[in-house]
Amino acid sequence: MRLQSVVLLLFVVFVASMAIRNQAVPGGWVPIKDLNDPHVIELANFAVTEHDKQTQSNLKFDKVIGGETKVVEGIKYCLNITTTGGIDFNKYTVTVLEKAWLHFRNLTYFVPIRD
């Protein structure tokens, strides 16, 4: 029982620290203040790499042009990105769910932004 309490406390502290880092509020979308944050860039690269694996594409991540976070059962990142190597599009909206304490990431959304 004591171990479960310690694990729960660590989980709460971790989620709170991630929320403070990204200014996230449980249940609400909050803009990402630093689009050049190395973690945000890493997640955008992950999204493009996963999309390429799933679709046999050859997109290359360029930069993050907008984004927001939402605390859910982890942290959901919704990013607007640009890429190179695409035929029809070079701007996309991607969503990545991250549960850092489990070392888990999942690409849940990857669609072109139609100008």
Side-chain angles (χ1 to χ4, degrees), residues 8 36 40-42 46 49 51 75 84 88 90 94 100 108-109 113:
L8 178 59
N36 295 312
V40 173
I41 301 299
E42 181 181 334
F46 167 81
T49 300
H51 174 75
I75 298 181
T84 59
D88 296 324
N90 70 341
V94 303
T108 59
Y109 191 73
I113 298 172

Coordinates of all heavy atoms in Angstrom, one line a residue, residues 8 36 40-42 46 49 51 75 84 88 90 94 100 108-109 113:
L8 N 1.8 7.0 -6.8 CA 0.8 7.9 -7.1 C 1.3 9.4 -6.8 O 1.1 10.2 -7.7 CB -0.5 7.7 -6.2 CG -1.6 8.7 -6.4 CD1 -2.1 8.6 -7.9 CD2 -2.8 8.3 -5.5
N36 N 10.4 26.5 -30.3 CA 11.7 26.0 -30.5 C 12.2 25.2 -29.3 O 13.4 24.8 -29.3 CB 12.7 27.1 -30.8 CG 12.3 27.8 -32.1 OD1 12.1 27.2 -33.1 ND2 12.2 29.1 -32.1
V40 N 9.6 20.0 -27.9 CA 8.5 20.2 -28.9 C 9.1 19.8 -30.3 O 8.4 19.1 -31.0 CB 8.1 21.7 -28.9 CG1 7.1 21.9 -30.1 CG2 7.4 22.0 -27.6
I41 N 10.3 20.1 -30.6 CA 11.0 19.7 -31.8 C 11.1 18.2 -31.9 O 10.8 17.6 -32.9 CB 12.4 20.4 -32.0 CG1 12.2 21.9 -31.9 CG2 13.1 19.9 -33.2 CD1 11.4 22.5 -33.0
E42 N 11.5 17.6 -30.8 CA 11.6 16.1 -30.8 C 10.2 15.5 -31.0 O 10.2 14.5 -31.8 CB 12.1 15.7 -29.4 CG 12.3 14.2 -29.2 CD 12.8 13.9 -27.8 OE1 13.4 14.7 -27.1 OE2 12.5 12.8 -27.4
F46 N 9.3 13.1 -34.2 CA 8.6 11.8 -34.0 C 7.4 11.6 -34.8 O 7.2 10.6 -35.5 CB 8.3 11.7 -32.5 CG 7.3 10.5 -32.2 CD1 7.8 9.2 -32.1 CD2 6.0 10.7 -32.1 CE1 7.0 8.2 -31.9 CE2 5.1 9.7 -31.9 CZ 5.6 8.4 -31.7
T49 N 8.4 11.1 -38.5 CA 9.0 9.8 -38.6 C 7.9 8.7 -38.6 O 7.9 7.7 -39.4 CB 10.1 9.5 -37.5 OG1 11.1 10.5 -37.7 CG2 10.7 8.2 -37.7
H51 N 4.7 9.0 -39.2 CA 3.9 9.1 -40.4 C 4.6 8.5 -41.6 O 3.9 7.7 -42.4 CB 3.6 10.6 -40.7 CG 2.9 10.8 -42.0 ND1 1.5 10.5 -42.1 CD2 3.3 11.2 -43.2 CE1 1.2 10.8 -43.4 NE2 2.2 11.2 -44.0
I75 N 0.0 14.1 -21.9 CA -0.1 15.4 -22.5 C -0.3 15.2 -24.0 O 0.5 14.5 -24.6 CB 1.2 16.2 -22.2 CG1 1.3 16.4 -20.7 CG2 1.1 17.6 -22.9 CD1 2.4 17.3 -20.2
T84 N 9.5 19.1 -45.7 CA 10.0 19.1 -47.0 C 9.8 17.7 -47.6 O 9.6 16.7 -46.8 CB 11.5 19.5 -47.1 OG1 12.2 18.6 -46.3 CG2 11.7 20.9 -46.6
D88 N 2.3 17.3 -52.6 CA 1.2 18.2 -52.7 C 1.1 19.2 -51.5 O 0.6 20.3 -51.7 CB -0.2 17.4 -52.7 CG -0.3 16.6 -53.9 OD1 0.1 17.0 -55.0 OD2 -0.8 15.5 -53.8
N90 N 3.0 20.9 -47.7 CA 4.2 21.0 -46.9 C 3.8 21.5 -45.5 O 4.7 21.7 -44.7 CB 5.3 21.9 -47.5 CG 4.9 23.3 -47.6 OD1 3.7 23.7 -47.5 ND2 5.9 24.2 -47.7
V94 N -0.5 18.0 -36.7 CA -0.2 16.6 -36.1 C -0.6 16.7 -34.6 O -0.5 17.7 -33.9 CB 1.3 16.2 -36.2 CG1 1.7 16.2 -37.7 CG2 2.2 17.1 -35.4
A100 N 5.1 10.5 -20.7 CA 6.5 10.4 -20.5 C 6.9 9.4 -19.4 O 7.9 8.8 -19.5 CB 7.0 11.8 -20.2
T108 N -1.5 10.4 -33.2 CA -2.9 10.2 -33.3 C -3.6 10.9 -34.5 O -4.7 10.6 -34.8 CB -3.7 10.5 -32.0 OG1 -3.4 11.9 -31.7 CG2 -3.2 9.7 -30.8
Y109 N -2.9 11.9 -35.1 CA -3.5 12.7 -36.1 C -2.4 13.3 -36.9 O -1.4 13.8 -36.4 CB -4.3 13.8 -35.4 CG -5.2 14.7 -36.2 CD1 -6.4 14.2 -36.7 CD2 -4.9 16.0 -36.5 CE1 -7.2 15.0 -37.5 CE2 -5.7 16.8 -37.2 CZ -6.9 16.3 -37.7 OH -7.8 17.0 -38.4
I113 N -2.6 20.8 -43.9 CA -3.3 22.1 -43.8 C -3.5 22.6 -45.2 O -2.5 22.9 -45.9 CB -2.4 23.1 -42.9 CG1 -2.2 22.6 -41.5 CG2 -3.1 24.5 -42.9 CD1 -1.3 23.4 -40.7

